């Protein structure tokens, strides 16, 4: 929505922009005081990095390929966001292993999380593709400010003023988590390159042995063209006044490298230079580099 003032839509929490409508003082307090169990599983992403994809894969791994949950429960209830107002009821009553989502940066995590150390799968994506996906997403949702121009949104994104803050701080923060044994790092691009191998690695991390037939079944359900048809995961259940999928769908392209169709050469160059400065001390080898 281009016609609403940003301060009407957003709040700043621990230095990061969040959505006022969903992230209320009550929901943020709930998350801050949340009682984690060691068996819990957390899917952690910067927005537009493959969250809903993970909300499909992880439940299928835990059910050993039984599709009932992903066929009957919307992704946002199946693997709820801990920071969102909509989900603050009854999570305590869920049986283990519970699976949750969060877009929080590492330094926003609670002391309870740091103490209990539930398992985390942290998914990263090429930030130029994140930016591209985010630009389309901002235009289709009523609860984000539509970018007036691409350049304006580019600066907002790079300067960490987009919702959930700086992509750079997000990735650097989680990559330098004090304890990493309970964290599995994977990228969207690895999943695109070899989904079967990625599912296998996740199943191992989650201590859920799956035979090759089950892995193949899960992979087949989760490839873009098949997952796009699942109305429990493609956001078609979301009212169109909140998310208008007529112009651009939530499961939009599902590829690596779409930034080439979106950024001008000058913008890509500016982005790369910014990236180089921000990431120069990061030792992790990213697939997109
Ligand atoms: P694009 O807009 O580039 O298509 P998130 O769930 O974190 O908001 O991320 C959304 C992005 O993940 C979208 O990217 C969406 O198409 C992509 N995505 C979702 N499911 C996918 C799948 N099964 N395979 C590949 N990409 C997927």
């Amino acid at each position: 929505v281009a016609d609403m003032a940003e301060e009407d839509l957003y709040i700043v929490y621990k230095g990061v922009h969040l959505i006022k409508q969903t992230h209320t003082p009550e929901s943020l307090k709930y998350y801050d005081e949340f009682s984690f169990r060691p068996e819990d599983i957390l899917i952690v992403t910067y927005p537009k990095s493959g969250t809903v994809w993970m909300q499909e894969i992880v439940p299928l791994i835990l059910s050993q390929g039984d599709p009932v949950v992903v066929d009957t429960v919307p992704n946002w209830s199946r693997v709820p966001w801990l920071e969102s107002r909509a989900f603050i009821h009854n999570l305590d009553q869920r049986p283990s292993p519970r699976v949750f989502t969060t877009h929080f940066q590492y330094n926003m995590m609670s002391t309870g999380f740091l103490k209990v150390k539930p398992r985390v799968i942290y998914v990263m994506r090429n930030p130029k593709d994140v930016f591209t996906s985010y630009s389309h997403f901002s235009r289709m949702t009523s609860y984000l400010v539509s970018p007036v121009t691409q350049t304006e949104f580019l600066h907002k994104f790079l300067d960490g003023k987009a919702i959930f803050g700086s992509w750079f701080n997000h990735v650097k923060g989680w990559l330098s988590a004090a304890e990493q044994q309970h964290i599995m790092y994977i990228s969207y691009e690895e999943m695109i390159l070899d989904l079967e191998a990625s599912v296998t690695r996740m199943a191992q991390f989650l201590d859920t042995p799956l035979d090759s037939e089950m892995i193949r079944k899960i992979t087949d359900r989760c490839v873009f063209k098949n997952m796009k048809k699942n109305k429990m995961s493609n956001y078609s259940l979301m009212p169109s006044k909140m998310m208008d999928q007529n112009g651009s769908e939530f499961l939009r392209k599902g590829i690596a490298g779409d930034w080439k169709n979106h950024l001008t050469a000058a913008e890509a160059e500016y982005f790369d230079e910014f990236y180089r400065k921000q990431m120069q001390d990061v030792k992790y080898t990213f697939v997109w580099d």
Side-chain angles (χ1 to χ4, degrees):
V1 279
D3 51 345
M4 269 187 96
E6 298 218 17
E7 57 272 25
D8 291 335
L9 289 169
Y10 302 153
I11 55 159
V12 177
Y13 176 71
K14 298 189 181 178
V16 163
H17 284 75
L18 300 177
I19 305 160
K20 220 183 225 176
Q21 194 186 341
T22 5
H23 308 121
T24 60
E26 190 195 12
S27 77
L28 296 168
K29 182 169 184 289
Y30 176 82
Y31 186 10
D32 214 39
E33 295 172 356
F34 190 74
S35 294
F36 283 101
R37 301 178 195 153
E39 311 79 47
D40 287 341
I41 298 160
L42 226 62
I43 293 167
V44 186
T45 55
Y46 186 83
K48 313 320 293 172
S49 302
T51 321
V52 74
W53 200 1
M54 294 298 296
Q55 290 172 325
E56 196 88 349
I57 295 172
V58 171
L60 280 168
I61 290 176
L62 296 176
S63 71
Q64 301 195 305
D66 182 341
V68 170
V69 175
V70 296
D71 278 346
T72 55
V73 185
N75 66 297
W76 56 77
S77 304
R78 196 193 301 151
V79 191
W81 276 265
L82 283 175
E83 61 267 26
S84 279
R85 183 179 68 165
F87 310 113
I88 64 177
H89 309 291
N90 301 330
L91 297 184
D92 289 341
Q93 278 141 44
R94 291 194 175 205
S96 288
R98 301 178 299 182
V99 194
F100 304 117
T101 307
T102 184
H103 287 316
F104 268 15
Q105 305 203 5
Y106 181 69
N107 64 6
M108 298 166 81
M109 299 306 286
S110 65
T111 44
F113 168 84
L114 297 173
K115 201 164 145 227
V116 175
K117 304 183 195 72
R119 286 163 295 177
V120 169
I121 303 185
Y122 185 65
V123 187
M124 299 162 274
R125 185 180 189 187
N126 182 339
K128 286 191 291 209
D129 282 336
V130 169
F131 171 77
T132 303
S133 184
Y134 218 153
S135 306
H136 288 93
F137 183 64
S138 302
R139 286 201 188 86
M140 67 191 268
T141 49
S142 61
Y143 49 88
L144 294 175
V145 173
S146 311
V148 178
T149 64
Q150 179 150 308
T151 312
E152 180 215 76
F153 189 54
L154 181 69
H155 288 290
K156 196 168 155 183
F157 179 85
L158 294 176
D159 295 342
K161 299 279 164 46
I163 301 302
F164 291 102
S166 155
W167 178 91
F168 302 93
N169 290 348
H170 208 289
V171 169
K172 287 193 283 188
W174 277 100
L175 283 178
S176 51
E179 290 207 39
Q180 306 205 345
Q181 257 167 350
H182 65 115
I183 307 177
M184 171 181 159
Y185 297 97
I186 191 160
S187 66
Y188 180 95
E189 289 72 17
E190 285 165 272
M191 288 159 64
I192 289 282
L193 282 172
D194 194 340
L195 188 55
E196 215 168 288
S198 303
V199 171
T200 306
R201 191 147 79 83
M202 288 182 219
Q204 277 160 359
F205 176 72
L206 298 175
D207 295 319
T208 311
L210 298 177
D211 61 34
S212 49
E213 184 52 35
M214 284 174 191
I215 302 263
R216 256 198 307 279
K217 208 169 133 188
I218 295 170
T219 304
D220 185 59
R221 273 205 65 109
C222 296
V223 293
F224 187 75
K225 69 173 183 353
N226 293 339
M227 197 180 129
K228 198 175 158 80
K229 292 185 218 144
N230 184 359
K231 64 179 189 310
M232 292 294 155
S233 308
N234 63 14
Y235 282 90
S236 56
L237 297 178
M238 184 74 96
S240 57
K241 69 176 183 341
M242 284 186 75
M243 202 183 272
D244 178 7
Q245 302 211 45
N246 287 316
S248 168
E249 290 169 288
F250 188 95
L251 270 86
R252 192 183 60 89
K253 278 203 176 171
I255 58 168
D258 191 41
W259 63 266
K260 293 179 192 126
N261 302 314
H262 190 70
L263 294 175
T264 64
E267 284 168 346
E269 207 174 299
Y270 183 83
F271 202 121
D272 288 345
E273 189 49 34
F274 195 95
Y275 179 97
R276 260 192 297 279
K277 283 195 192 125
Q278 288 278 330
M279 303 299 280
Q280 60 188 352
D281 296 328
V282 177
K283 299 280 180 286
Y284 195 86
T285 308
F286 299 99
V287 175
W288 58 78
D289 274 339

